[in-house]
Amino acid sequence: MAGQRTKVSTGWGGRRSPRRAAATRSRQNISRVMAVCRRRPLHWSLPLRSISDKDSSLLPLLLLLASYHRTASCHCAASNHATPHRSLSDRTYVTRDIKTPDPVPEEGQQAALELMKTGRLYRYNVKPGEDSVVSLCEQEIAEYMGFDYCVALNSCGSALMLLLKTTGLQPGDKVLSNAFTFGAVPSAIEHAGGKAVYVESNMDHVISVADLEKKLEAHPDCGHVLISHMRGKVADMTAIKELCDKHDAILLEDCAHSLGVRWGDKHTGHMGKACAVSSQSYKMINSGEGGFLLTNDGEIAAQTAVIAGAYEGLAGKHKMVPGPEVFGNKPTELPNYSIRMSNLAAAVVRPQIKTLDERIAKYNKRYNDLVEKLEAAVGDHIIMPQLTPGVTQMVHDSVQINLKPKFTPEMIQDFLDECIAHGLPVELFGHKSNARNFVNWGFAPADEPLPETAE
């Protein structure tokens, strides 16, 4: 059906699908894919939060089309009235921006509006005995994750930096961390004055426990291990904790992507001494930018509050920090980085905490349905990352897929071009410009090859 256009009902007054340049390009037959020699796999990701269930049912078809280079076309609108006709001889387009975050609940919108009317956006601008919006938000996050203490910050990057500074990292000290993570993690290590030493990550997108053991043995002077739960995927945290204890290294957890994910009978973050959570737009709670440092260690919590900006006696306006006896002279001994969360950010976060479990169930169902369809349609061409035994609750708010090594670089580019032509955003983790590719971290470069991660 090359060159032929198929008209379908869009729900938008019957508009025809736009002409796509890709529709006229020649495509290689799938037999070529099967014949090529072994190549590096393709790791890519797309979000599942803001697409509808009808949209998600189209994604396997899009991937199948991209793999098989179909050339006929159809168009499916972003409305909830997409056509039920989904023949493999058709091309399908997604016109919804599936990277759009969930909207802030009405309750959060109203709370933010009322707050702006008062002008009290600064977290400490409250009357004696009154709790700020930030303090209430800290309490709710801590209760959800099961921690004693919580300090809200302007970003998760700030929280990661403070994880290191409040646990004794000195300038030049080494920090072991994932080679596959977002660039904000090595940036936080650099911000704290440390030197990142990278540990291999595997095809399940988690840190390699075997390589972590090797690196701990090779770097006996390394006193910190910062584990990043990239895309919510958790490595064997029991084994990692045992290794850290054996080598006298402080274990810290980057839970930016793992809010709601549970390891054993606890929320992620409890295997380490402290953890960081994000409320940046593409996370489970969205304040545009924001983060939280959570711990059961009073000393870490007190240092964090002061460095974040609790100068003089302002620590007394917190709910989720230890008592004044722990603070001592910290307000005069520690710097004030002024990296607090504002009341406005906390106001939009609070109602989102209430809906976490409901949204997690929705996203997980969507993911499971999608993976079932993907494996049935293109299972010969993809490898899905597997969960580590010990993860008792996952949060699938995005999907990551490895293309098998049989795809040539040209085919991979065809795949990406086809997905873009269909309106399907795809992030290629190994791309030369991707912020998750360790080769792009020129500010904190790897000192040795990382072949497993590069694969």
Side-chain angles (χ1 to χ4, degrees), residues 49 101 154-157 182 256-257 277-292 341 349 352:
R49 285 182 296 275
N154 65 342
S155 74
C156 187
F182 187 59
H257 289 217
V277 168
S278 176
S279 61
Q280 188 266 350
S281 276
Y282 296 132
K283 305 304 188 296
M284 287 295 294
I285 49 177
N286 169 24
S287 61
E289 291 288 353
F292 301 85
M341 178 178 281
V349 165
Q352 296 176 58

Side-chain angles (χ1 to χ4, degrees), residues 77-91:
S79 71
N80 290 328
H81 305 290
T83 176
H85 177 62
R86 295 174 186 149
S87 167
L88 288 182
S89 63
D90 296 331
R91 287 182 75 157

Side-chain angles (χ1 to χ4, degrees), residues 233-451:
K233 293 174 172 56
V234 181
D236 186 342
M237 292 305 297
T238 301
I240 289 171
K241 180 66 165 62
E242 290 173 355
L243 285 174
C244 289
D245 290 347
K246 176 182 177 181
H247 292 273
D248 197 25
I250 296 171
L251 175 59
L252 303 167
E253 295 184 57
D254 168 22
C255 298
H257 289 217
S258 68
L259 182 60
V261 180
R262 299 184 69 84
W263 175 261
D265 61 351
K266 293 184 178 180
H267 197 286
T268 47
H270 283 271
M271 298 300 288
K273 198 166 185 180
C275 73
V277 168
S278 176
S279 61
Q280 188 266 350
S281 276
Y282 296 132
K283 305 304 188 296
M284 287 295 294
I285 49 177
N286 169 24
S287 61
E289 291 288 353
F292 301 85
L293 187 150
L294 298 106
T295 184
N296 292 324
D297 186 301
E299 178 65 22
I300 293 173
Q303 288 188 48
T304 298
V306 171
I307 296 174
Y311 58 89
E312 297 174 348
L314 292 178
K317 294 191 175 185
H318 282 251
K319 287 176 68 70
M320 302 306 295
V321 297
E325 69 282 358
V326 180
F327 281 83
N329 294 324
K330 287 181 176 60
T332 58
E333 295 172 347
L334 297 174
N336 170 6
Y337 289 170
S338 296
I339 51 177
R340 302 166 288 257
M341 178 178 281
S342 74
N343 279 334
L344 191 59
V348 300
V349 165
R350 291 187 64 203
Q352 296 176 58
I353 301 170
K354 300 176 184 178
T355 64
L356 274 171
D357 291 338
E358 175 187 345
R359 288 184 288 125
I360 289 169
K362 179 175 68 174
Y363 301 156
N364 285 350
K365 181 182 184 304
R366 183 175 295 163
Y367 177 89
N368 292 331
D369 291 346
L370 175 57
V371 169
E372 181 181 355
K373 294 182 174 99
L374 276 170
E375 291 181 334
V378 290
D380 290 341
H381 313 302
I382 64 173
I383 302 170
M384 299 301 299
Q386 300 299 304
L387 295 184
T388 305
V391 175
T392 53
Q393 176 172 285
M394 183 57 184
V395 177
H396 290 296
D397 63 334
S398 64
V399 59
Q400 289 74 48
I401 296 172
N402 305 318
L403 284 182
K404 287 188 176 179
K406 58 194 175 185
F407 286 85
T408 65
E410 295 77 16
M411 289 175 176
I412 290 173
Q413 189 58 52
D414 274 348
F415 180 96
L416 296 174
D417 291 345
E418 194 79 358
C419 287
I420 291 172
H422 287 294
L424 181 68
V426 172
E427 292 187 3
L428 175 59
F429 289 147
H431 193 272
K432 60 183 179 181
S433 65
N434 194 286
R436 299 149 196 84
N437 188 343
F438 66 87
V439 302
N440 294 319
W441 302 337
F443 55 88
D447 290 335
E448 54 189 281
L450 295 160

Side-chain angles (χ1 to χ4, degrees), residues 96-157:
R96 181 193 300 271
D97 180 2
I98 66 173
K99 295 190 74 172
T100 302
D102 285 340
V104 173
E106 183 71 23
E107 179 184 346
Q109 297 176 37
Q110 291 299 319
L113 181 60
E114 292 303 315
L115 186 64
M116 287 188 285
K117 290 178 181 179
T118 71
R120 295 177 182 269
L121 308 186
Y122 178 48
R123 72 163 297 166
Y124 298 127
N125 192 350
V126 291
K127 299 175 182 178
E130 188 177 283
D131 292 324
S132 71
V133 181
V134 177
S135 290
L136 294 173
C137 188
E138 289 167 338
Q139 181 179 29
E140 289 157 0
I141 285 286
E143 288 175 351
Y144 183 84
M145 295 181 65
F147 282 96
D148 293 336
Y149 308 117
C150 177
V151 178
L153 302 159
N154 65 342
S155 74
C156 187

Side-chain angles (χ1 to χ4, degrees), residues 188-200:
I189 295 171
E190 189 274 342
H191 190 185
K195 175 177 173 52
V197 178
Y198 302 114
V199 181
E200 294 274 25

